[in-house]
């Protein structure tokens, strides 16, 4: 378990917001890695993301059964194979996206920061404009105003000018904008490798240690050696 730093409580979580963009395997990989690193997690799953999760995995995420649904989701690989990963959820707390009285809605609620993964263009716009229409957007606004790390893993292509301007606004406000763009130099041989690369870059931006991908060592051919 990570040591408690000044200004933190014994449970000072990372908020993970899952928006409605395609890319629920990215969120699953980030959540697993945070828990593996000994971090606590406050989870906010937007209404739109539940439709995406159902479409991409067949899993219904229900507030009343969130723990069972989350365990089923996180145990799957990016290829959809069930029971690929073992998960322990004791460090996870779930907040309904419609609960604007939840802990993360206030700056006095201690957190280490927030990761929005995947981030839809709608969530990007909402945070950039300060709309706070649901808990995900409100928690992100609180994260920015409190000067805590905010990582936005935007998943959309192509990007129009309006979205680009919103991303610049977030960058100007201090957020880390991390496009969900897999790289291939790490020697990916499976869809999970590509997902883990993006998840790893999200965690890099947040300063959370992990071992999700092979880092560049300045030597050409490392990826092809692994693939071979």
């Amino acid at each position: 378990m990570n040591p408690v730093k000044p200004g933190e409580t014994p449970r000072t979580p990372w908020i993970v917001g899952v928006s409605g963009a395609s890319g629920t395997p990215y969120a699953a990989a980030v959540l697993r890695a945070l828990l593996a690193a000994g971090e606590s997690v406050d989870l906010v799953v937007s209404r739109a993301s539940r439709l995406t999760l159902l479409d991409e995995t067949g899993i219904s995420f229900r507030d009343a059964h969130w723990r069972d649904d989350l365990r089923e989701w996180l145990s799957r690989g990016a290829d959809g194979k069930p029971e690929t990963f073992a998960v322990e959820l004791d460090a996870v707390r779930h907040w309904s996206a419609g609960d604007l009285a939840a802990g993360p809605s206030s700056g006095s609620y201690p957190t280490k920061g927030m990761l929005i993964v995947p981030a839809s263009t709608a969530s990007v716009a909402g945070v950039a404009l300060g709309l706070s229409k649901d808990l995900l957007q409100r928690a992100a606004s609180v994260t920015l105003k409190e000067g805590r790390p905010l990582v936005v893993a935007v998943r959309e292509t192509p990007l129009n000018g309006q979205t680009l301007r919103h991303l610049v606004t977030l960058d100007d406000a201090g957020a880390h904008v991390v496009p969900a763009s897999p790289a291939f130099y790490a020697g990916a041989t499976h869809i999970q490798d590509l997902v883990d690369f993006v998840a790893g870059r999200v965690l890099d931006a947040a300063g959370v240690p992990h071992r999700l991908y092979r880092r560049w060592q300045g030597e050409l051919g490392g990826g092809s050696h692994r693939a071979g």
Side-chain angles (χ1 to χ4, degrees):
M1 183 67 67
N2 289 351
V4 178
K5 299 177 182 178
E8 296 181 351
T9 66
R11 187 188 187 279
T12 303
W14 284 97
I15 304 170
V16 176
V18 185
S19 79
S22 177
T24 54
Y26 295 132
V30 165
L31 287 164
R32 287 192 298 264
L34 284 172
L35 297 174
E39 300 286 356
S40 297
V41 172
D42 276 20
L43 178 64
V44 181
V45 181
S46 76
R47 292 180 62 185
S49 70
R50 299 174 193 224
L51 297 177
T52 306
L53 182 65
L54 181 62
D55 184 54
E56 293 183 346
T57 70
I59 296 171
S60 297
F61 193 91
R62 303 158 295 175
D63 287 342
H65 304 280
W66 71 267
R67 191 174 294 274
D68 291 338
D69 297 338
L70 181 62
R71 180 175 289 106
E72 182 182 2
W73 176 22
L74 298 191
S75 69
R76 292 195 181 192
D79 59 0
K81 183 178 179 180
E83 300 181 6
T84 299
F85 299 98
V87 292
E88 178 54 60
L89 303 180
D90 288 346
V92 180
R93 184 172 185 178
H94 167 257
W95 300 95
S96 174
D99 185 4
L100 292 178
S105 68
S106 172
S108 65
Y109 182 82
T111 72
K112 291 184 177 180
M114 182 173 183
L115 317 174
I116 305 177
V117 54
S120 65
T121 55
S123 66
V124 165
V127 177
L129 297 174
L131 298 182
S132 294
K133 73 172 187 177
D134 61 9
L135 182 59
L136 189 153
Q137 293 182 14
R138 172 60 184 169
S141 295
V142 168
T143 300
L144 286 176
K145 80 179 183 68
E146 296 295 327
R148 299 166 184 161
L150 174 65
V151 183
V152 179
V154 60
R155 216 309 304 168
E156 183 62 272
T157 188
L159 295 170
N160 62 26
Q162 187 176 47
T163 298
L164 290 169
R165 286 187 286 272
H166 289 152
L167 292 172
V168 170
T169 296
L170 292 179
D171 179 77
D172 289 342
H176 300 274
V177 177
V178 181
S181 302
F184 296 85
Y185 62 79
T189 60
H190 190 276
I191 186 174
Q192 190 67 54
D193 298 325
L194 298 176
V195 168
D196 285 349
F197 180 87
V198 172
R201 295 301 287 155
V202 170
L203 294 171
D204 287 344
V208 177
H210 65 87
R211 299 182 65 182
L212 288 175
Y213 67 88
R214 183 184 68 84
R215 297 184 181 276
W216 176 250
Q217 300 295 327
E219 298 179 2
L220 295 176
S224 61
H225 292 331
R226 176 182 169 183

